[in-house]
Structure formats: C-alpha cells, structure tokens
C-alpha cells in the first residue's frame, strides 16, 4: 500500500508509508508505484493531469488520515484537470481500478477530441463509485464531429482498450 495526502504529505524517494505519505498522485505513480500497487488517497483536491503507462494499479480515494489509521470513504477525493488537459490517461497495457474519486476539469487535446475526464487507449480501466463531471472534448482543428466522450472514452487506436463503469455518475 502507498498513501497520498495532499495536505500533509511530502514527495520524496521514501514517501508512501501511512505515517509519511506522498503529497501528489503523479509523484507516487511515477516514482513509488510498482505493478499491482494500491494507492490510498486522502480526501482533498489534487490539481493534476495524470498518465498511467504500463502499470497495474488501484487508486482509492475518500480516505481521512487519523492517528489511529486511514478511515475509508470518509471524504471526497477530487483529481481536477484544471481545464488544461485530460484528468487521466490510461495506456501502455495498463490495468487500472479507480474507486471513490471525482474527476472534473478535464480538457481533451484538439488532436484527440475525446475522453477529457478519463481516456483509455491500449489498456483497461474499471471505475467504481466515481463521479466524472465538467469535462470538455471539443475539436477546433478541422476534425469533424466536434468531439465525443467528453467524460469517458475507451479507444482501440493504439491497441485493445476497455472500460468498465460500476455504480458511478457521469455528467456533462
């Protein structure tokens, strides 16, 4: 298990223990997570645009750190794309489970007008108890259709892709 707390964590080579959590999800994915890792993410807002490449990982949000331990499903964990890029891209044969998260503020790039909240290309993702909201996929570079799958997209252009949605809410 790896722990992330945006309010009290520190990103360094030794972070990730319950008592010494990392600060950002991106650092934890890039520097601490290995195949099969589970990341417990404290409630709060994480202004990040994430890529999961060639990794099997579980991201579980909603935790509240206490001296006695981390209480699950005790708050809201928001990964906010900030309106500049996708919130989360899964590719490279990754297998990802997302639980108890909120994914707003994604913006799909003009060259790939889909999947602003979550885009899966050449990988698999399961979203469970996830809210995907306020994401934008618009084409302004001459592509037809004006964008699709603003919230979620699984695209086989780069290899097999699949997306499973369970007990989740997808809005705008």
């Amino acid at each position: 298990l790896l722990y992330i707390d945006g309010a009290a964590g520190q990103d360094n080579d030794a972070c990730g223990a319950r008592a010494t959590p990392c600060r950002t999800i991106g650092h934890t994915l890039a520097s601490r997570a290995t195949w099969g890792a589970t990341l417990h993410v404290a409630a709060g807002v994480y202004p990040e645009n994430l890529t999961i490449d060639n990794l099997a990982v579980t991201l579980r949000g909603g935790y509240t750190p206490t001296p006695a331990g981390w209480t699950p499903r005790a708050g809201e964990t928001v990964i906010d794309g900030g309106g500049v890029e996708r919130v989360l891209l899964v590719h490279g044969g990754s297998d990802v489970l997302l639980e108890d998260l909120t994914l707003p503020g994604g913006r799909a790039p003009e060259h790939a007008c889909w999947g602003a909240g979550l885009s899966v290309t050449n990988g698999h993702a399961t979203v469970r108890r996830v809210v995907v909201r306020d994401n934008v996929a618009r084409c302004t570079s001459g592509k037809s259709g004006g964008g699709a799958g603003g919230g979620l997209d699984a695209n086989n252009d780069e290899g097999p892709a699949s997306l499973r949605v369970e007990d989740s809410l997808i809005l705008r």
Side-chain angles (χ1 to χ4, degrees):
L1 283 177
L2 294 168
Y3 295 86
I4 302 164
D5 185 345
Q10 296 292 321
D11 285 342
N12 57 49
D13 292 340
C15 68
R18 187 181 344 183
T20 57
C22 296
R23 184 177 60 84
T24 63
I25 301 165
H27 171 81
T28 309
L29 288 168
S31 302
R32 304 293 296 142
T34 58
W35 191 270
T38 297
L39 284 59
H40 286 186
V41 186
V45 177
Y46 296 80
E48 301 190 54
N49 305 96
L50 304 170
T51 297
I52 300 176
D53 186 16
N54 193 30
L55 191 63
V57 65
T58 297
L59 272 76
R60 287 194 176 116
Y63 285 86
T64 299
T66 66
W70 284 47
T71 305
R73 296 166 101 185
E76 183 181 25
T77 299
V78 177
I79 306 172
D80 190 336
V84 296
E85 183 59 75
R86 287 185 172 111
V87 177
L88 181 58
L89 173 64
V90 174
H91 69 106
S94 295
D95 188 1
V96 176
L97 171 60
L98 306 172
E99 289 184 329
D100 301 310
L101 298 167
T102 299
L103 307 177
R107 183 174 190 84
E110 289 183 19
H111 69 278
C113 312
W114 49 82
L118 169 63
S119 181
V120 182
T121 63
N122 187 19
H124 172 75
T126 298
V127 295
R128 184 177 297 139
R129 295 182 306 273
V130 171
V131 176
V132 181
R133 62 173 169 80
D134 301 319
N135 294 285
V136 177
R138 290 194 182 109
C139 291
T140 58
S141 60
K143 286 193 175 190
S144 63
L152 301 173
D153 179 69
N155 186 314
N156 291 318
D157 287 352
E158 297 179 21
S162 64
L163 176 60
R164 181 181 177 119
V165 179
E166 302 173 359
D167 194 22
S168 295
L169 183 59
I170 316 301
L171 304 168
R172 188 173 159 235

